[in-house]
Amino acid sequence: MRAVRIDRFGGPEVLRIEEVPDAEPRDGEVLIQVIATGVNPVDDKTRAGAIGEGTPPLPMTLGWELAGVVLDGGGTGRRPGERVVAMSHQLGTRRGTWADRVAIPAGSVASAPATVSLAEAATLPLPGSTALQTLDWLAVSAGTRLLVAGAAGAVGGLALQLAKARGAQVDALVSRDSHLAFARDHGAGFATTDPAALPDRGYDAVFDTFGAFVTDAVADGGRYASIATQAGPVPDLSARQVATTIHQVREDGAGLAELTALVDRGALRPRVDSTFGLHEIRAAHERFARGALNGKVVVIF
Ligand SMILES: NC(=O)c1ccc[n+]([C@@H]2O[C@H](COP(=O)([O-])OP(=O)(O)OC[C@H]3O[C@@H](n4cnc5c(N)ncnc54)[C@H](OP(=O)(O)O)[C@@H]3O)[C@@H](O)[C@H]2O)c1
């Protein structure tokens, strides 16, 4: 079967499509025919050799998420032909999803949404799990005043919609004027490109997706979560009784099922910026690197 592999770090030119031995499911794993997958910032950093400690040894297969069709459910209850989505923490599991077939633990798999294509569904697993788990840590519920920084990004755009679905009052900080309409259309009451325009101590919770560290915006006694590992730790806000964290995403099939149900209820809209065939994997990475994305870069197998 084909897989997207690297045997050295560098730019998109180091990506290679190689023939590798077929995936063989172990007990408790589901064998999935991959139809589509998304490009995430971590794939770009891994390919570039920018992860540092925790980077799997070379050569490796890349990719953290997939949408596809079950080939063999083993004893897991999944039936051949079922449309599914799944995440694999590639740095930890060393199981990349950018391959024709992938064997994934049943607990990391969820049914794909019925109302969207598998290309759209492939945009959900990594950013959706990150958004959901971080909103849970932030204790976002009806009435919470929440700021999402980077609200037009893959994680931020889903966080915005998920928080709105919970009844939170959500504001958005985005990178450019062209993202303001997206933020307003997807639930932001107030959207700005200017951190100085944010109300001082105005939010119960801040979800920071790019290392904005807009710590003046969080209320004393509030919660501040960053997912921008590479930007370093959140400043110590303990003197103001603000709880802080850098959230690290984990595989969670039950959480993924919550996300796909929200898609089918129309509360969560997946966003595809652009679509590439597998043979265009280098071009897909080049598109990702140019930034200013309006959704995810999707690769079709
Ligand atoms: N810790 C974890 O478990 C975890 C999980 C998932 C992702 N992450 C990390 O979280 C970050 C976001 O991921 P993603 O998938 O959402 O990436 P993404 O789709 O590229 O989104 C990032 C967003 O932040 C915006 N942004 C960047 N600099 C900004 C600035 N100075 N002011 C306002 N907005 C700014 C970008 O805008 P433009 O593109 O328009 O510039 C983009 O909309 C990445 O660093 C990723 O590695 C961490």
Side-chain angles (χ1 to χ4, degrees):
M1 65 173 188
R2 301 166 303 169
V4 178
R5 312 254 301 160
I6 55 170
D7 56 14
R8 63 193 166 97
F9 300 116
E13 72 282 356
V14 303
L15 297 162
R16 298 158 56 95
I17 299 166
E18 289 180 9
E19 281 298 318
V20 298
D22 229 318
E24 292 199 4
R26 291 176 295 199
D27 276 358
E29 291 184 344
V30 182
L31 183 65
I32 301 167
Q33 179 80 42
V34 177
I35 303 294
T37 178
V39 177
N40 288 289
V42 66
D43 303 309
D44 179 74
K45 292 170 196 162
T46 304
R47 187 212 66 232
I51 296 289
E53 200 182 332
T55 306
L58 292 169
M60 70 174 102
T61 298
L62 295 174
W64 279 61
E65 60 193 354
L66 64 82
V69 175
V70 173
L71 289 173
D72 183 354
T76 69
R78 293 275 171 201
R79 300 256 167 267
E82 266 188 69
R83 296 161 85 252
V84 291
V85 289
M87 183 189 126
S88 174
H89 191 303
Q90 184 259 354
L91 294 177
T93 61
R94 300 180 180 185
R95 181 194 292 111
T97 60
W98 293 357
D100 281 316
R101 288 171 287 285
V102 181
I104 298 262
S108 304
V109 177
S111 298
T115 52
V116 299
S117 67
L118 287 176
E120 291 168 289
T123 65
L124 288 173
L126 173 54
S129 302
T130 309
L132 190 66
Q133 292 164 18
T134 307
L135 290 174
D136 285 345
W137 184 89
L138 288 166
V140 170
S141 60
T144 303
R145 295 168 304 164
L146 171 72
L147 172 70
V148 179
V155 177
L158 293 173
L160 193 62
Q161 298 177 65
L162 288 169
K164 192 70 188 169
R166 290 183 183 190
Q169 296 171 37
V170 199
D171 289 350
L173 176 65
V174 296
S175 55
R176 55 192 84 227
D177 287 345
S178 57
H179 288 330
L180 290 170
F182 165 83
R184 293 190 192 109
D185 289 349
H186 288 74
F190 169 69
T192 182
T193 56
D194 179 8
L198 299 170
D200 196 46
R201 310 255 197 294
Y203 300 99
D204 306 310
V206 175
F207 188 157
D208 185 347
T209 72
F210 67 89
F213 299 136
V214 283
T215 53
D216 288 346
V218 66
D220 294 350
R223 294 169 88 75
Y224 194 110
S226 167
I227 57 164
T229 323
Q230 311 274 324
V234 181
D236 181 5
L237 302 175
S238 55
R240 293 172 45 206
Q241 288 79 50
V242 175
T244 61
T245 192
I246 297 197
H247 181 74
Q248 298 293 345
V249 68
R250 57 183 187 280
E251 295 162 8
D252 172 21
L256 255 184
E258 245 183 84
L259 294 167
T260 62
L262 283 165
V263 172
D264 283 338
R265 287 200 342 238
L268 197 58
R269 286 182 266 167
R271 291 157 67 221
V272 176
D273 173 272
S274 41
T275 305
F276 294 84
L278 180 63
H279 64 288
E280 302 170 302
I281 186 69
R282 293 177 181 172
H285 276 233
E286 283 158 7
R287 170 66 196 98
F288 176 85
R290 285 198 298 278
L293 295 164
N294 292 301
K296 294 275 300 271
V297 174
V298 170
V299 177
I300 306 291
F301 270 73

